[in-house]
């Protein structure tokens, strides 16, 4: 591609520098003087008459009659008269005639003239003109020497256009890239225009449809604007003004197509306007996107400016005074060639970026697949959590096992991180969120155990751990792991329950009871309330053990424990200290009557005759009562006083409930 660019630009420069100028026509062998009889023809077509006065001064000359400025002419006729006005020769040609002229790709004819005066009258008829096709005479040797370069330039550039059009058509189809297809359409439109206007199609294939030299440009112009919009990433979201301006320009150019069919004489003028529209749009779009630091725009601007300057010249000037051999359509061809070749470099750069992006995407997909495969082997969810300085949070990544942990899909969590937060039960959420804020503030590892309530699994325990990382803009990103600890919590709870409860009756044991009594005393001291303690010992239990065995005694203890807790309040605690001794914590109590009322209820529930192995065993209990602060202000004193009162009740033989004596009475 770079070699084609270098070759094309070099050939264009060679043609500009090596084609002869007007000074080459100044020869002592002949002189010529021409004028338009009725003024030059209008651009929108019509007829025109030109007269050229010629004098051959020396020996016979072979001259070439051709057009300067432009060779775009529908039909022409040259009539050669001698000095006496006698018609000598008639030469005909033009785009609409199938016959070829004496020279390939030119409206050129050979004239063999002897010394003398001649008049060459040329009549033109054309639907439109790129510029006035002005007849001019060349020495045959000079013309034939120079025309080779002109023909070579045309064919080389046409070959480059055909190669690029085919290449981007194929790549557009295979890559399904509209950008490539539009670029191929732009080049194809120029191929049709240049191939017709420079007689390539007429001389090679006999094509004589004159409007091929204007209509394809209308199509090419629209393709170009669409191509620029895609090339420079112009869209509704980022560049709305350029986006709508581009579509407006495409709509305007599309309207030119219908106008050209209805008014064919103006089709070339519409093509000129289209070139100006797409050239200026490309310039504005390129500058805008270059200022937005679009790297493609920098390269595109070079191509656009390189094209725009000669293109504006070719659509605006009427005469090529700088070089009589160079035609306006050739200047336009070189302008398009420079842009096409430079744009090919831009396209190559963009395609390279696309391939690099695709390579990065494939690498990212491979990495993502590897991460997914690894995450699938982990018994929990891997995730990335992000919190911005303004407190907004999201989850850029969550592995598939988030469905097991939160009964949400990765897409749901990534779309709305709050959906996972909503699974945390309200009781645990304050500590859960505070732990995240603490980790963010201190940049310390986040560790938290919490419960979630799931639609299918119900209440479950989760444990999370993550490591924070602060980014340059202050955003905190955690990389972490959450797993299920429900079974562990169940085992821990079971162990804790076994450590704190009596294995036979399921009631709290001495350890848990003492802990709850301590807590009750602390609350009572803060709130200035009372605490009651019932110490209970079963009567006649020893007879069951001795007569029926320990298994029967154990069954009896279970029944007694069940009966004992009847009618207790939710704030009260019944516990087994060992053997047939039980205690009940009453919290709160107002006075001794309050405690005695509960004691009588418990005693009533325990006075039951139990039938064991066809034997009746009446069971009752002795209860001692102590109160805080009346009988003590700590655990040991309250238990001791209640125990003492219980023994007094057991040995009194007159009462089953006795309240401890106040401390000051002893």
């Amino acid at each position: 591609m770079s070699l084609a660019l270098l070759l094309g630009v070099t050939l264009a420069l060679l043609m500009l520098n090596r084609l002869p100028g007007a000074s080459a026509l100044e020869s002592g062998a002949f002189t010529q003087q021409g004028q338009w009889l009725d003024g030059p023809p209008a651009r929108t077509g019509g007829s025109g008459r030109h007269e050229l006065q010629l004098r051959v001064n020396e020996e016979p000359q072979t001259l070439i009659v051709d057009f300067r400025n432009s060779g775009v002419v529908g039909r022409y006729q040259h009539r050669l008269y001698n000095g006496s006005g006698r018609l000598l020769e008639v030469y005909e040609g033009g785009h609409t005639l199938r016959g070829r002229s004496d020279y390939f790709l030119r409206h050129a004819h050979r004239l063999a003239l002897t010394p003398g005066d001649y008049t060459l009258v040329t009549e033109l008829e054309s639907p439109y003109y790129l510029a006035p096709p002005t007849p001019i005479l060349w020495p045959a040797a000079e013309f034939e020497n120079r025309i080779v370069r002109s023909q070579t330039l045309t064919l080389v550039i046409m070959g480059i256009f055909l190669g690029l059009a085919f290449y981007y058509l194929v790549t557009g189809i295979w890559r399904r890239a509209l950008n490539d297809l539009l670029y191929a359409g732009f080049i194809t439109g120029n191929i049709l225009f240049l191939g017709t206007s420079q007689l390539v199609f007429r001389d090679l294939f006999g094509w004589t449809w004159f409007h091929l030299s204007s209509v394809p440009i209308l199509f090419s112009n629209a393709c170009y604007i669409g191509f620029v919009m895609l090339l420079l990433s112009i869209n509704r979201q980022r560049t709305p003004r350029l986006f709508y301006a581009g579509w407006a320009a495409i709509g305007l150019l599309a309207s030119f197509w219908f106008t050209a069919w209805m008014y064919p004489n103006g089709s070339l003028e519409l093509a000129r306007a289209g070139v100006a529209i797409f050239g200026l749009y490309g310039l504005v779009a390129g500058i805008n996107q270059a200022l937005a630091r679009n790297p493609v725009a920098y390269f595109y601007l070079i191509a656009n400016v390189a094209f725009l300057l000669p293109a504006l010249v070719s659509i605006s000037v009427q005469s090529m005074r700088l070089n009589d051999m160079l035609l306006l359509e050739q200047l336009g061809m070189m302008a398009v060639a420079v842009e096409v070749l430079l744009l090919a470099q831009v396209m190559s750069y963009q395609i390279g970026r696309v391939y690099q992006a695709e390579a990065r995407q494939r690498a990212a997909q491979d990495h993502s697949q590897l991460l997914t495969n690894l995450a699938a082997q982990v018994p929990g969810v891997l995730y990335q959590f992000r919190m911005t300085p303004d407190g907004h949070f999201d989850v850029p990544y969550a592995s598939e096992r988030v469905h097991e942990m939160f009964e949400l899909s990765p897409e749901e969590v990534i779309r709305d991180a709050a959906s996972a937060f909503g699974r945390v039960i309200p009781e645990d959420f304050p500590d859960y969120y505070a732990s995240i804020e603490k980790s963010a503030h201190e940049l310390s590892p986040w560790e938290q155990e919490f419960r979630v309530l799931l639609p299918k699994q119900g209440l479950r325990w989760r444990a999370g751990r993550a490591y924070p990382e602060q980014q340059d803009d202050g955003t905190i990103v955690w990389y972490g792991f959450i797993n299920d600890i429900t079974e562990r919590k169940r085992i821990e709870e079971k162990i804790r329950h076994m450590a704190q409860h009596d294995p036979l009756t399921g009631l709290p044991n001495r350890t848990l009871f003492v802990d709850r009594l301590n807590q009750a005393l602390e609350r009572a001291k803060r709130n200035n309330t009372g605490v009651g303690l019932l110490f209970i010992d079963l009567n006649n239990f020893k007879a069951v053990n001795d007569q029926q065995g320990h298994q029967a005694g154990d069954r009896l203890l279970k029944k007694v424990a069940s009966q004992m807790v009847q009618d207790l309040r939710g704030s009260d605690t019944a516990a087994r200290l060992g053997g047939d001794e039980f205690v009940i914590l009453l919290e709160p109590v107002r006075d001794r009557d309050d405690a005695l009322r509960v004691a009588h209820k418990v005693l009533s529930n325990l006075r039951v005759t139990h039938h064991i192995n066809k034997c009746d065993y009446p069971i009752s209990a002795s209860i001692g009562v102590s109160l805080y602060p009346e009988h003590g202000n700590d655990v040991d004193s309250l238990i001791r006083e209640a125990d003492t009162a219980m023994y007094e009740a057991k040995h009194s033989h007159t009462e089953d409930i006795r309240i401890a004596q106040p401390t000051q009475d002893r």
Side-chain angles (χ1 to χ4, degrees), residues 188-413:
T188 301
N190 280 279
I191 289 173
L192 294 174
F193 166 71
L194 297 171
T196 304
S197 64
Q198 298 193 56
L199 302 176
V200 176
F201 296 146
R202 191 202 70 171
D203 288 354
L204 290 179
F205 311 116
W207 294 3
T208 58
W209 188 43
F210 183 76
H211 292 288
L212 274 176
S213 61
S214 60
V215 173
I217 291 297
L218 300 176
F219 168 77
S220 176
N221 295 342
C223 288
Y224 185 89
I225 292 181
F227 161 74
V228 169
M229 293 174 68
L230 292 175
L231 179 71
L232 301 182
S233 302
I234 294 172
N235 53 57
R236 185 186 295 106
Q237 290 73 30
R238 296 183 178 179
T239 52
R241 292 183 179 178
L242 285 175
F243 177 80
Y244 290 115
W247 276 107
I250 291 174
L252 179 61
L253 293 175
S255 71
F256 286 0
W257 302 345
F258 301 101
T259 306
W261 287 107
M262 297 174 61
Y263 181 56
N265 296 79
S267 59
L268 189 60
E269 293 304 300
L270 294 173
R272 293 177 194 270
V275 171
I277 290 172
F278 86 69
L280 293 176
Y281 177 82
L283 181 65
V284 172
I287 292 174
N288 181 275
Q289 293 301 86
L291 293 175
R293 300 184 182 277
N294 183 337
V296 175
Y298 297 122
F299 299 104
Y300 168 74
L301 272 178
I302 297 173
N304 182 267
V305 172
F307 160 77
L308 201 57
L309 294 177
L312 291 177
V313 171
S314 67
I315 65 174
S316 59
V317 302
Q318 292 292 293
S319 175
M320 291 296 293
R321 294 296 184 185
L322 177 64
N323 194 317
D324 287 316
M325 178 67 77
L326 184 66
L327 302 177
L328 279 174
E329 48 266 35
Q330 288 181 309
L331 178 61
M333 178 183 69
M334 287 188 290
V336 174
V338 170
E339 179 170 49
V340 164
L341 291 168
L342 290 175
L343 283 179
Q345 302 302 301
V346 178
M347 292 285 287
S348 298
Y349 171 75
Q350 187 191 46
I351 291 174
R353 294 184 67 205
V354 170
Y355 285 149
Q356 291 175 356
E358 289 177 349
R360 288 193 297 268
Q361 183 178 7
R362 285 193 298 270
Q365 289 174 344
D366 293 342
H367 181 270
S368 177
Q369 186 61 48
L370 175 62
L371 179 60
T372 299
N373 293 340
L374 292 174
Q377 308 307 314
V378 176
V381 56
L382 300 176
Y383 69 94
Q384 182 186 38
F385 177 74
R386 182 168 55 196
M387 178 184 287
T388 59
D390 61 1
H392 175 75
F393 54 82
D394 63 356
V395 178
Y397 172 79
S399 66
E400 287 294 332
R401 288 190 180 270
V402 71
H403 184 75
E404 298 177 19
M405 296 297 105
F406 293 93
E407 292 188 4
L408 295 166
S409 68
E411 293 75 20
E412 289 176 303
V413 175

Side-chain angles (χ1 to χ4, degrees), residues 6-19 153 334 338:
L6 181 62
L7 177 62
V9 174
T10 302
L11 286 173
L13 293 175
L14 285 174
M15 283 299 300
L16 286 173
N17 290 327
R18 298 294 299 277
L19 289 175
L153 177 68
M334 287 188 290
V338 170

